[in-house]
Amino acid sequence: MILSGWGRTTPQACRVSRPRSEAELAARVAEGGLIARGAGRAYGDAAQSAANTVDMGGVNRMIRFDADSGQLVAEAGVWLADVIATFLPRGWFPAVTPGTRFVTLGGAVAADVHGKNHHREGSFGAFVDWIDLMGPDGTVRRLTPGDDLFRWTLGGMGLTGVILRVALRLRRVETGWIAQRTVVAPDLAAAMAAFEGNADALYSVAWIDCLAQGAALGRSLVMLGEHASVAALPGVRREHPFTVPARPRRALPFDAPGFALNPLTVRAFNEVYWQLGKRKAGPALVPWDAYFYPLDAIGNWNRIYGRRGFVQFQCALPLASSADALHELLKVVSASGQGSFLAVLKRFGPQAAPFAFPMEGYTLALDFPLHGQTSALLDRLDRIVVAAGGRFYLAKDARMSRETLWQADPRAAAFVELRDRLGLRAAFASTQSERLGL
Amino acid sequence: MTKGAVLILGGRSDIGLAIAHAFAAAGHPVMLAARGPETLEADRADLALRHGVTVTLHAFDALDTASHAAFVDALPSLPAIAVCAVGAMGVQAKDEHDPAAAIAVMRANFEGPATILAILADRFEARGRGTLVGISSVAGERGRATNYIYGAAKAGFTAYLSGLRNRLAKQNVHVLTVLPGFVATRMTAGMDLPARLTATPAAVGAAVLHAVERKRNVIYVKPVWRLVMAVIKAIPEPVFKKLKL
């Protein structure tokens, strides 16, 4: 069947199987060249292998929950959305969540996804107590943070084995609401100052107008958040603190035509968003779904970019060179007019796992519809990041060259060395790992 | 408010489990019945953990019809709702020349389901309330060369459900016939099913819950199937017999 990433730029005919037991899965592993696929939310070709893709969607049972420690043990195909649906009404929420809840636990571990609290608490892996990992010989090992292979599996993109089960610590919350405070930052320096000045906020993230130029370059709406206490809710909400108003779910029933998103419409959108956002400056109570997952309310939002799909660009920049590199990246993007309206800026805390994406500094995420000029623009952005000592997020990557990865990420050599040493390279491979020489 | 328990016969099947999830999510305790129920422990734990309802496992062999009355007696309580998701596809091309295999398909899709529902119907009738759900098939609406053994058994089951509904309508016992159409399950894995006509097990679960709550009589999970089957049933036999379907 034809598989592609969420960006829809990497369609490929793949042999897909859906093993029902560990024995069936072990037989697939023995065939080699295997990659496990979760919800298919990686943007590029990270979860597809022409010869041997394993759909983990059927491996999705919850096993047990300890209401004292908040530890949930579940099979790897369980979605974060299921975890929230099951446990938010009981007062628990994922400690780290990416910008969509339609990801599997296995995928979240493999990409070591980060959330708006990375600067304070680290990425998904920081809350994983153990994983069960099937190795190249089909045996299953329970790995804890003390194990080398556990740490390389975080951000290892499924290339260290098949993640079968995850023990995850959830966070206790009093309500389903986020106390949000929006800081209006008229330029990049103000946005970065807002992050640095609010390092104690649990959540922080900025929408950045990547088309603003001149003195307004990098103008942003920095959104800070904390889980709201029951006492912070208006009286009528206190009785059912986990209930938030239902959001209408919309879906794009068809691909938008290619011209729907053009520099003009995106520029207009960004201007309107900025003007509206400025008025929302200050505190507000926001439902959990609107705060963490604004795009989840629109099914198949990836279709807005039309049939050809879109690519994501997300880099991490070291703190020391962040200001200059961000300035340069935004100048190139705004001058090109190829901006996206989903541009996100965020402060990262330090790197934890040896091959994880985040590093102490800043991350910038942009998306671009795929067409002729995009490729040259992305190559320019790549070079700025490499020169600044930054690196790229493999869960978003669909098109990076092998040279770029190896220049940006010297850790790749150690990762490949580990894969060779443990005999993982023949057993586990994705289209992405082949492209990047991992 | 506690809701009545739902008994799922054929609790290992994808459709049976999906129906269990739909009812558990709506607050119904679940009894999962299947052969070798101990191997369903992971599914039991998942249902209980996700939905916060009591879930129990029970040994049930649809083909061992002599044991059915004792099976019902051994349940912790008489369920409010019983869903029969028992079935077996068989391999038509082989079974049509192998009487023993054909009999097994007929028994799994008709004799076994009819027997257990007969016993439950009497108990529900005596109690004065209850809901029986039979998962039958559009394959029972008209026999086709490619699956007429399975189709004939399902046709028998559909007629049986219809008669049961007629008999029990005045006794406050409701009977629902479900004709799922194509469903992406283990039973159909590897078959090339048209996406527009194919439902997920979860969609079947949601449709069954909805239909039970609304006391519907016969449902197609995907409404388009009503049209498809109307067309198939309208084709004159002289034409139909020459078609490859």
Side-chain angles (χ1 to χ4, degrees):
Chain A
M1 77 192 278
I2 305 288
L3 294 182
S4 185
W6 185 243
R8 307 203 303 162
T9 58
T10 59
Q12 183 183 23
C14 298
R15 186 173 139 258
V16 182
S17 57
R18 212 179 152 98
R20 293 283 184 159
S21 65
E22 285 183 21
E24 278 179 55
L25 179 61
R28 293 291 176 209
V29 170
E31 291 169 12
L34 178 147
I35 196 72
R37 182 179 177 92
R41 278 296 183 128
Y43 284 74
D45 48 5
Q48 58 201 59
S49 159
N52 196 357
T53 304
V54 167
D55 175 0
M56 298 293 283
V59 186
N60 64 346
R61 291 174 298 200
M62 296 187 187
I63 298 167
R64 60 177 177 269
F65 180 68
D66 180 343
D68 292 324
S69 65
Q71 188 199 60
L72 169 68
V73 178
E75 292 180 334
V78 166
W79 286 19
L80 218 43
D82 299 331
V83 175
I84 296 169
T86 303
F87 293 104
L88 179 57
R90 305 178 205 177
W92 300 90
F93 199 76
V96 170
T97 174
T100 172
R101 62 189 186 279
F102 303 125
V103 297
T104 62
L105 299 184
V109 170
D112 193 28
V113 296
H114 53 269
K116 300 176 205 283
N117 55 338
H118 189 275
H119 61 289
R120 259 186 59 177
E121 300 186 318
S123 48
F124 197 81
F127 295 88
V128 175
D129 288 337
W130 54 260
I131 56 172
D132 279 348
L133 189 74
M134 182 177 283
D137 58 355
T139 60
V140 179
R141 286 178 58 196
R142 181 152 299 179
L143 302 171
T144 63
D147 293 305
D148 224 23
L149 192 55
F150 176 95
R151 293 192 300 272
W152 283 99
T153 299
L154 301 175
M157 301 307 287
L159 300 168
T160 59
V162 182
I163 300 162
L164 296 180
R165 280 171 286 272
V166 179
L168 180 71
R169 261 171 297 122
L170 305 181
R171 177 197 308 279
R172 248 201 198 293
V173 294
E174 281 187 32
T175 73
W177 296 80
I178 300 296
Q180 177 181 276
R181 187 161 61 86
T182 302
V183 179
V184 177
D187 58 27
L188 181 63
M192 293 178 73
F195 278 113
E196 301 303 331
N198 291 286
D200 57 337
L202 181 58
Y203 299 115
S204 64
V205 69
W207 169 82
I208 184 163
D209 181 353
C210 60
L211 287 180
Q213 290 175 305
L217 188 82
R219 68 181 179 182
S220 302
L221 301 169
V222 184
M223 288 166 265
L224 311 170
E226 308 284 343
H227 289 279
S229 63
V230 173
L233 299 187
V236 289
R237 296 253 178 235
R238 285 183 202 163
E239 205 168 319
H240 302 287
F242 300 110
T243 307
V244 300
R247 285 201 302 169
R249 272 189 67 84
R250 300 174 205 282
L252 281 183
F254 52 84
D255 299 336
F259 57 81
L261 269 192
N262 58 47
L264 218 65
T265 55
V266 174
R267 199 174 288 278
F269 172 89
N270 280 15
E271 185 60 37
V272 169
Y273 195 91
W274 167 256
Q275 295 297 345
L276 289 178
K278 273 205 303 191
R279 278 191 244 159
K280 283 196 229 149
L285 270 179
V286 185
W288 62 272
D289 50 351
Y291 183 79
F292 289 106
Y293 314 110
L295 285 170
D296 281 356
I298 309 166
N300 293 328
W301 64 263
N302 50 349
R303 300 179 93 166
I304 198 166
Y305 291 92
R307 195 175 295 277
R308 279 179 299 185
F310 70 106
V311 286
Q312 271 264 343
F313 172 90
Q314 185 170 357
C315 63
L317 298 161
L319 194 54
S321 59
S322 282
D324 289 345
L326 285 170
H327 201 83
E328 215 177 323
L329 289 167
L330 289 167
K331 252 168 70 179
V332 170
V333 172
S334 63
S336 78
Q338 300 292 327
S340 55
F341 46 57
L342 300 169
V344 169
L345 180 68
K346 156 108 201 90
R347 177 72 155 84
F348 267 162
Q351 171 191 344
F355 200 50
F357 162 65
M359 65 166 77
E360 177 96 46
Y362 280 82
T363 181
L364 179 69
L366 309 165
D367 50 56
F368 302 95
L370 189 65
H371 54 67
Q373 302 136 18
T374 323
S375 175
L377 172 66
L378 289 166
D379 289 344
R380 278 188 75 186
L381 300 180
D382 284 351
R383 285 196 291 276
I384 296 170
V385 172
V386 171
R391 59 179 175 242
F392 305 95
Y393 192 16
L394 294 180
K396 299 263 177 99
D397 158 62
R399 33 73 48 191
M400 197 190 339
S401 72
R402 183 179 299 206
E403 292 68 36
T404 305
L405 173 83
W406 285 71
Q407 279 170 20
D409 209 335
R411 306 174 306 168
F415 185 64
V416 169
E417 191 274 321
L418 172 103
R419 288 207 346 115
D420 277 333
R421 181 158 46 85
L422 300 181
L424 304 171
R425 246 180 141 185
F428 306 108
S430 62
T431 306
Q432 182 184 51
S433 75
E434 301 282 301
R435 172 165 55 82
L436 297 176
L438 294 172
Chain B
M1 188 186 73
T2 54
K3 295 197 178 173
V6 61
L7 167 67
I8 311 284
L9 302 153
R12 189 189 312 282
S13 71
D14 288 341
I15 289 179
L17 271 176
I19 294 171
H21 273 283
F23 278 88
H28 296 267
V30 175
M31 306 173 185
L32 281 184
R35 267 180 301 187
E38 62 284 350
T39 58
L40 289 174
E41 174 51 34
D43 296 291
R44 189 205 64 74
D46 179 45
L47 277 161
L49 184 50
R50 282 183 194 240
H51 310 298
V53 295
T54 304
V55 183
T56 50
L57 300 178
H58 308 277
F60 172 68
D61 184 347
L63 296 180
D64 182 11
T65 49
S67 72
H68 288 184
F71 160 78
V72 175
D73 290 335
L75 291 175
S77 63
L78 190 62
I81 304 155
V83 179
C84 182
V86 171
M89 186 76 89
V91 182
Q92 171 72 34
K94 179 174 86 62
D95 300 348
E96 62 197 29
H97 309 295
D98 180 347
I103 287 169
V105 171
M106 291 187 255
R107 294 194 66 219
N109 290 296
F110 179 41
E111 190 184 305
T115 306
I116 183 64
L117 290 191
I119 293 164
L120 287 164
D122 284 353
R123 307 286 173 100
F124 285 8
E125 189 180 23
R127 182 175 61 186
R129 67 192 150 77
T131 301
L132 295 168
V133 181
I135 310 299
S136 194
S137 172
V138 295
E141 310 249 292
R142 193 164 193 180
R144 296 181 292 125
T146 48
N147 70 347
Y148 62 84
I149 299 172
Y150 174 80
K154 286 295 194 184
F157 189 43
T158 300
Y160 190 91
L161 291 167
S162 161
L164 210 50
R165 176 162 45 245
N166 190 207
R167 170 189 143 197
L168 298 170
K170 294 199 185 73
Q171 318 300 325
N172 196 31
V173 176
H174 182 65
V175 179
L176 166 66
T177 307
V178 182
L179 305 172
F182 298 142
V183 185
T185 64
R186 247 172 304 186
M187 201 163 85
T188 59
M191 290 166 66
D192 189 20
L193 302 177
R196 299 185 82 95
L197 295 177
T198 306
T200 60
V204 179
V208 170
L209 174 67
H210 189 252
V212 165
E213 287 173 346
R214 303 279 172 106
K215 290 202 182 304
R216 300 278 303 277
N217 297 312
V218 182
I219 62 160
Y220 292 86
V221 171
K222 286 191 110 115
V224 60
W225 273 101
R226 194 173 289 276
L227 181 71
V228 171
M229 294 319 297
V231 170
I232 288 180
K233 282 191 282 190
I235 301 171
E237 194 66 18
V239 178
F240 190 80
K241 72 177 181 186
K242 292 183 188 139
L243 295 179
K244 255 189 99 179
L245 284 168

